[in-house]
Amino acid sequence: MVSLLKRGKRWLVLGHRWLGIVTGLLFALWIGSGLVMLYVPFPSLTEAERLAHLRPMAWEEVAVSPDEALAASSETRMPRSLDLEMRGDEPVYRMSAGNGRRITLSARTGTPAGPADAEAARHLAGAGPAASVEEVERDQWTVTARYDPLRPFHKVALNDAAGTELYVSQSTGEIVLDTTRFARGWNWVGAVTHWVYLTPLRARAELWRDVVLWLSGIAAFTAITGLVLGIWRLRLRRRYAHGRVTPYRGLARWHHLVGLVGGIGLTTFILSGWLSMNPNRWFTSLAPPADLRAAYAGADSPVGLDLARLREIGTHAPLGLHLPRIGGRWVTMGRDRAGMRAIGDVPDSARIAAAAGLAMAGARLEGVERLDSHDLYWSPLTSATLPVLRLRFADPAATWLHIDPGSGEILNRLDRSGRTNRWLFTALHRLDLPVLVGHPPARDAAQWLLNLLAGALVVTGLVIGWRRLILKAGAHPPLPAALRPSHISRSARVPSPGRRGTG
């Protein structure tokens, strides 16, 4: 038993030593890039930015009603929602088909609006004469699958002081992304590094997932073995010689002592990051699946807005309308620069609960709670929307639905596994805790402290590993006698007994 324990300890030491040399640089990159991500998120188009690019709605030019537009789409199944807004100088209806394809119809004629060419993209982006346009199928900032229904793009470089680039979908004419030189530059050392978001790899979603799972899994094993060794070699009562608590000297001593504190944070970050990749599909997505959204939308039904009524409500919606369907009935939402607000019939809690009950296949509704402030499971890091309705169901997965009471639309689905993931990933990796999220400077300070401690641990480990590699590389075995240079005499090679070397 003692022999087995010694052998296990030896392999633990060797495993940590050599895995640490291999993964040390990964640790350093993840720590540095994670700190960058605190301040520079991955490029995306916020709703406020999207609305800023929309021209005011030309209501007098709308000659097709919403029901006529739905009929003209020739879709066998009605979309869950319908949007009326401007595409440049033309009013258009936008909807998503059942297969995810985006449909754009002219609100003047009811016919497909057609693809946007380079000149149209320049006009839609409001670009000046200095702008340039480039066709892009997929690049570093549009690599994920969420952009697939919108490909290819016209990338319009405004050539302004900020280096702004706008991506316009060729198929729909929508501005779907904007980036700046600042965001692109910092993301190369931020999100791209942290998520291993290299375009050729990330374009193959399952391959990318497997690579990150293996990298972070090996790194997590390295961190755990280091923490176990650190605690194992620590002596607070029966100390080492000269009263030391660690058997190590020099830099190794600092690596051990810093590792006892910084190792906890590093192991937590790496393990929770590994869990974020959802190994073995343990956790369900927060995004409600398509069949749940379709069931919540309910049966197909007419919108019931003729042109006269459309123009009447248009006076309260300078940027157009968003029409979601809930439980077989349409809700009219008007758009302005501040966002969306309901016009006329606002869905009440009873109507929302009835539609949600049908979507959940009749699962018993345990309760409806209105949240006017964020709590443990509705964090500002998840969504800024307030108030929100939380519907709790007694299905096998103990599902919660979070729904916007203003529009009636489902914001996310959170079941038992999602709530577990909230603590194992969101709380531990992003420090999404109410006491910290409610005080951003305190959260930033905690992130910096934990990452700096982990950074000190990693840097000392890298230096120790580098020194070991140098020593290994310099430890060459002696040459065989047949290969030694013949001009070196035996006396020069082998000192005589009792002869004292001179240097």
Side-chain angles (χ1 to χ4, degrees), residues 29-63:
L29 292 173
W30 279 331
I31 291 169
S33 59
L35 289 173
V36 171
M37 290 177 67
L38 289 176
Y39 307 102
V40 187
F42 194 75
S44 65
L45 187 74
T46 66
E47 181 63 9
E49 290 170 336
R50 194 185 80 82
L51 294 176
H53 290 295
L54 288 181
R55 289 177 170 81
M57 191 69 199
W59 290 105
E60 68 284 355
E61 296 186 28
V62 178

Side-chain angles (χ1 to χ4, degrees), residues 77-79 294-302 325-330 358:
R77 177 74 176 171
M78 277 190 180
Y296 181 73
D300 292 351
S301 62
R325 193 172 82 254
I326 301 166
R329 296 172 60 187
W330 295 85
L358 291 174

Side-chain angles (χ1 to χ4, degrees), residues 152-170:
F153 307 103
H154 292 297
K155 183 172 72 174
V156 184
L158 302 185
N159 292 319
D160 57 356
T164 306
E165 294 178 351
L166 302 176
Y167 290 73
V168 180
S169 169
Q170 289 189 26

Side-chain angles (χ1 to χ4, degrees), residues 8-341:
K9 185 175 180 180
R10 172 175 170 75
W11 280 110
L12 189 66
V13 171
L14 290 174
H16 177 71
R17 176 184 298 164
W18 293 107
L19 283 176
I21 290 173
V22 173
T23 60
L25 186 58
L26 270 178
F27 284 127
L29 292 173
W30 279 331
I31 291 169
S33 59
L35 289 173
V36 171
M37 290 177 67
L38 289 176
Y39 307 102
V40 187
F42 194 75
S44 65
L45 187 74
T46 66
E47 181 63 9
E49 290 170 336
R50 194 185 80 82
L51 294 176
H53 290 295
L54 288 181
R55 289 177 170 81
M57 191 69 199
W59 290 105
E60 68 284 355
E61 296 186 28
V62 178
V64 176
S65 71
D67 287 311
E68 290 170 333
L70 290 171
S73 71
S74 302
E75 290 294 312
T76 56
R77 177 74 176 171
M78 277 190 180
R80 298 188 307 269
S81 64
L82 181 66
D83 291 279
L84 176 60
E85 61 188 30
M86 296 297 286
R87 173 175 143 167
D89 299 324
E90 180 180 21
V92 295
Y93 285 100
R94 300 191 188 277
M95 62 192 85
S96 294
N99 59 4
R101 180 173 54 91
R102 294 281 288 168
I103 299 172
T104 304
L105 300 174
S106 169
R108 293 171 180 162
T109 64
T111 58
D117 59 19
E119 192 54 40
R122 185 191 298 272
H123 179 65
L124 289 165
S132 59
V133 182
E134 173 189 356
E135 185 171 328
V136 171
E137 177 68 27
R138 184 192 305 268
D139 68 1
Q140 186 63 56
W141 318 116
T142 59
V143 68
T144 57
R146 66 184 291 263
Y147 292 105
D148 287 351
L150 301 163
R151 302 184 196 281
F153 307 103
H154 292 297
K155 183 172 72 174
V156 184
L158 302 185
N159 292 319
D160 57 356
T164 306
E165 294 178 351
L166 302 176
Y167 290 73
V168 180
S169 169
Q170 289 189 26
S171 59
T172 68
E174 296 172 85
I175 296 176
V176 298
L177 177 65
D178 64 350
T179 70
T180 62
R181 186 183 301 108
F182 178 88
R184 293 190 298 272
W186 278 106
N187 263 276
W188 279 108
V189 294
V192 174
T193 298
H194 200 79
W195 296 335
V196 198
Y197 241 47
L198 302 175
T199 303
L201 178 62
R202 185 60 184 87
R204 297 163 176 81
E206 285 304 310
L207 175 61
W208 168 77
R209 179 176 177 274
D210 288 343
V211 168
V212 177
L213 269 172
W214 277 101
L215 285 176
S216 55
I218 293 170
F221 180 78
T222 305
I224 291 170
T225 56
L227 194 57
V228 169
L229 279 172
I231 295 171
W232 194 348
R233 303 306 300 272
L234 181 70
R235 290 187 184 176
L236 297 178
R237 298 181 63 184
R238 192 168 56 87
R239 299 194 174 193
Y240 297 98
H242 307 295
R244 296 196 307 270
V245 297
T246 174
Y248 303 108
R249 297 175 181 273
L251 198 61
R253 175 174 179 269
W254 285 107
H255 184 70
H256 183 199
L257 296 178
V258 172
L260 292 168
V261 182
I264 296 173
L266 181 63
T267 303
T268 300
F269 282 142
I270 298 300
L271 266 177
S272 58
W274 177 70
L275 288 171
S276 75
M277 299 306 298
N278 200 5
N280 205 34
R281 311 291 182 184
W282 288 329
F283 310 110
T284 56
S285 170
L286 292 179
D291 57 349
L292 177 68
R293 288 188 181 275
Y296 181 73
D300 292 351
S301 62
V303 179
L305 293 177
D306 58 21
L307 291 178
R309 176 59 180 155
L310 201 63
R311 292 192 176 97
E312 180 185 339
I313 64 177
T315 59
H316 306 288
L319 294 182
L321 299 178
H322 174 62
L323 305 169
R325 193 172 82 254
I326 301 166
R329 296 172 60 187
W330 295 85
V331 179
T332 304
M333 304 290 297
R335 277 199 176 99
D336 56 26
R337 298 294 179 197
M340 291 192 302
R341 58 188 179 84

Side-chain angles (χ1 to χ4, degrees), residues 433-444:
L433 302 168
V435 68
L436 294 178
V437 173
H439 303 85
R443 179 171 173 266
D444 283 0

Side-chain angles (χ1 to χ4, degrees), residues 427-452:
L428 296 180
H429 200 78
R430 304 179 66 190
L431 299 189
D432 185 0
L433 302 168
V435 68
L436 294 178
V437 173
H439 303 85
R443 179 171 173 266
D444 283 0
Q447 287 276 16
W448 275 94
L449 176 62
L450 290 172
N451 278 281
L452 287 176

